[in-house]
Amino acid sequence: MLCALGAAVCFGTATVLQAIAARAAVGSGSGGDAALLLRALRQWRYLAGLALDGVGFLLQIAALRSIPIYAVGAALAASLAVTAVVAARLLQVRLSRVEWGAVGVVCAGLAMLGLASGTEGERAGSTELKYAMLGVAVLVLLAGLVAGRLPERGRALVLGLGAGFGFGVVEVAVRLIDGLSVGALLGNPATYALLLGGGAAFVLLTSALQRGSVTTATAGLVIGETIGPALVGVVWLGDRTRDGLEWLAVLGFAVAVVGALALARFGEAPVEEGVEV
């Protein structure tokens, strides 16, 4: 669980650092997206954010290999609470009482999950499940292409959900990779599911944040990357809780996800006008 929480801290802090760097890049000159990206890459905060993303991904992999997927998914959704707290400190973003309460709710949910979670399931992923994850990754990519043409009102939610499902594929695929030799990786459909699902999720989330409401897109992301993978872990991979604490795990999962949804506007760290960075 510590690895999952560490990943959430890394991802949440990285979001704020990259937001600060992106704002500085916008204010330092004109140009298209490529020019803005190049200027952002010269900012130490952006590079630090990328480094934290890398560390967070490694911690996520370690967590997925040791605790149930439902616990990792809820912890990753909690990165929004980290983003909110760090943004309040570094970007001087005001959190309402409800939002501070949501941060506390997320922490309470994670505490319940930590008490109730058992070890990861002992079932090996079937070949059919590996190909199913690859199929889902392909569908996510195709859905993203269609969603880009939807009316603005529902586009952000669909793109956010698609991104969530893509990241969910990554969570499950990590569990389905049972060998790290080159031959084992190349011959495992889960490897391609991980790469395709992660790539599609990143593209869809970027598109969602550019084309619609950050809050709506992030809400879709949280739902997509938590509920589906959790069900796969329990039903097909044998994830379980400690004896007699199933109710506490379900309650903790629900509380953590609801709290994260309440903080959905921090899916892209907000910056108030006039804030010096």
Side-chain angles (χ1 to χ4, degrees):
M1 194 66 178
L2 288 177
C3 287
L5 293 175
V9 170
C10 288
F11 290 142
T13 305
T15 297
V16 179
L17 292 175
Q18 289 163 352
I20 294 174
R23 184 177 183 233
V26 170
S28 63
S30 59
D33 291 342
L36 291 175
L37 178 60
L38 288 174
R39 286 201 295 273
L41 286 171
R42 298 191 192 107
Q43 303 278 336
W44 70 266
R45 292 182 182 87
Y46 195 87
L47 296 176
L50 290 178
L52 283 173
D53 280 333
V55 174
F57 182 66
L58 293 176
L59 290 172
Q60 177 185 356
I61 291 176
L64 287 166
R65 305 294 289 189
S66 58
I67 62 174
I69 293 176
Y70 62 79
V72 178
L76 294 181
S79 66
L80 292 172
V82 177
T83 298
V85 173
V86 176
R89 175 70 176 174
L90 297 184
L91 295 178
Q92 300 176 22
V93 174
R94 270 183 204 165
L95 271 65
S96 67
R97 290 182 179 178
V98 171
E99 288 170 334
W100 277 117
V103 171
V105 165
V106 170
C107 293
L110 291 177
M112 287 187 278
L113 270 176
L115 290 173
S117 295
T119 58
E120 67 172 359
E122 296 179 355
R123 294 184 201 164
S126 65
T127 301
E128 291 79 7
L129 181 58
K130 294 175 183 178
Y131 277 107
M133 289 299 103
L134 181 57
V136 171
V138 173
L139 288 176
V140 166
L141 184 59
L142 294 177
L145 296 176
V146 174
R149 300 186 178 93
L150 291 176
E152 185 175 349
R153 184 175 181 181
R155 186 167 52 202
L157 178 60
V158 175
L159 288 170
L161 275 171
F165 287 135
F167 287 127
V169 167
V170 172
E171 293 174 24
V172 176
V174 168
R175 285 277 297 275
L176 297 177
I177 295 175
D178 44 17
L180 297 180
S181 67
V182 174
L185 289 173
L186 293 178
N188 192 337
T191 302
Y192 305 102
L194 187 153
L195 295 174
L196 184 59
F202 181 79
V203 171
L204 265 61
L205 182 58
T206 300
S207 179
L209 295 176
Q210 289 174 340
R211 298 185 180 190
S213 164
V214 170
T215 301
T216 301
T218 306
L221 171 71
V222 169
I223 292 171
E225 73 175 349
T226 54
I227 297 176
L231 289 175
V232 172
V234 171
V235 175
W236 283 285
L237 296 177
D239 287 347
R240 291 292 181 266
T241 66
R242 295 181 182 177
D243 291 340
L245 293 180
E246 294 86 354
W247 65 272
L248 185 61
V250 172
L251 179 61
F253 180 85
V255 167
V257 171
V258 169
L261 289 174
L263 296 167
R265 77 179 178 101
F266 293 97
E268 182 180 62
V271 181
E272 292 186 348
E273 294 295 329
V275 175
E276 295 294 330
V277 295

